Amino acid sequence: MAIVAGVNLPDGKRVDIALRYIFGIGPHLATVAAREAGIVGNPKMGEVADDLLARLRDVIAKYKV
């Protein structure tokens, strides 16, 4: 499981759905954050590379969650 903003995100969910588990992130912000992090398409969280996951953590850190 990936941990972003202190929340365990399930590996079996798509990125835009899994990011919604974080309080304060809705459908729009989830897609914007994934695009900002450079995640192409909509892979499952378990398929996201570690470097992209680190970028995603940095992007989410900018938001108030």
Side-chain angles (χ1 to χ4, degrees):
M1 289 192 130
I3 299 175
V4 178
V7 178
N8 289 330
L9 302 180
D11 290 334
K13 300 281 186 181
R14 300 280 176 190
V15 172
D16 63 338
I17 300 297
L19 287 176
R20 296 181 200 179
Y21 281 62
I22 302 170
F23 183 80
I25 295 184
H28 178 72
L29 190 55
T31 55
V32 169
R35 191 177 314 128
E36 254 186 79
I39 298 175
V40 179
N42 195 13
K44 293 186 177 184
M45 284 302 296
E47 300 170 355
V48 176
D50 290 336
D51 60 330
L52 289 176
L53 196 56
R55 274 196 258 164
L56 184 63
R57 285 186 186 110
D58 293 338
V59 169
I60 296 296
K62 293 190 292 185
Y63 299 115
K64 183 179 178 183
V65 292

